[in-house]
Amino acid sequence: MKLYHSPGACSLAPHIVAREAGIPLELIKVDLATHSLPDGSDYRRVNPRGYVPLLELDDGTRLSEASVLVQYLADQAPQSGLIPPAGTHERYRAQEWLNVVATELHKTFSPLWKKDTAASTQETLKARLAERFAEFDRLLAERPWLTGEQFSVVDAYAFTVINWANFLAVDLEPYPNLRAWLARVAARPKVKEALAAEGLA
């Protein structure tokens, strides 16, 4: 399988899940500024949307969207325990959290990367993020991982997105449990491998 990625982007989430699940991936780096691949070709010929992640299966099938890819990869290695079995209440709870990360965190962070986002809009977005961070902080006061006692795909995706706070002047100081959780995720050997492979360690 091939994972089209950009270092530190949301593609880090399926990269982490693949390593945690013991699934080998060929990493193909995408220059998001130019939409080009290492060979100079146009990435939009692979993914017309132009963004990462994109997973290309061995049969040529292509899948996109971080929340989908982490589930797909975890399902290929059910013994990893990275996601509950399909059809269970626990699976739906994990999907609920993946949607929270995708819609409440990921999409709220996205405009903060753009230099032309108005200061007033940035403040509104940071206030919205603060509400979610407070929710996560309360949850993580009661358990080590977002869905319970075991690291899951939800942690991989949330870690990838929340870690952007460190690059965007978003204050995490008021959330000690959230910061401790970030450190726990970052300390996992497979997460370290993924970060190193992307040149982020």
Side-chain angles (χ1 to χ4, degrees), residues 18-186:
R19 288 183 182 268
E20 290 275 354
I23 298 171
L25 291 177
E26 178 185 350
L27 296 174
I28 301 178
K29 186 177 178 180
V30 178
D31 183 329
L32 293 177
T34 62
H35 296 98
S36 61
L37 296 173
D39 64 2
S41 62
D42 189 346
Y43 173 58
R44 286 169 293 200
R45 292 182 179 176
V46 179
N47 182 5
R49 293 181 187 137
Y51 57 69
V52 294
L54 184 91
L55 186 68
E56 185 173 302
L57 310 186
D58 294 337
D59 66 1
T61 300
R62 292 169 177 164
L63 299 171
S64 66
E65 307 304 321
S67 61
V68 172
L69 299 190
V70 295
Q71 293 181 74
Y72 175 81
L73 290 164
D75 281 336
Q76 305 315 298
Q79 74 283 357
S80 68
L82 288 165
I83 196 165
T88 63
H89 288 293
E90 291 79 11
R91 177 61 168 256
Y92 293 119
R93 185 67 70 192
Q95 290 174 323
E96 176 185 10
W97 278 108
L98 288 171
N99 276 305
V100 168
V101 175
T103 61
E104 296 290 312
L105 296 179
H106 189 166
K107 288 306 177 187
T108 303
F109 262 111
S110 293
L112 297 177
W113 289 105
K114 298 177 181 177
K115 294 179 181 179
D116 61 351
T117 299
S120 59
T121 301
Q122 291 187 38
E123 291 308 308
T124 298
L125 294 171
K126 289 179 181 181
R128 189 177 303 163
L129 286 170
E131 292 178 7
R132 294 288 73 79
F133 292 163
E135 177 187 2
F136 278 48
D137 195 68
R138 290 191 297 270
L139 185 72
L140 290 163
E142 302 171 354
R143 55 198 188 198
W145 307 109
L146 288 171
T147 57
E149 297 301 312
Q150 185 167 342
F151 178 87
S152 76
V153 297
V154 177
D155 297 288
Y157 189 15
F159 168 80
T160 296
V161 174
I162 295 172
N163 197 50
W164 294 341
N166 295 309
F167 303 94
L168 294 169
V170 176
D171 187 15
L172 294 179
E173 190 61 30
Y175 316 107
N177 301 308
L178 184 63
R179 287 186 285 108
W181 166 83
L182 282 169
R184 280 197 299 279
V185 178

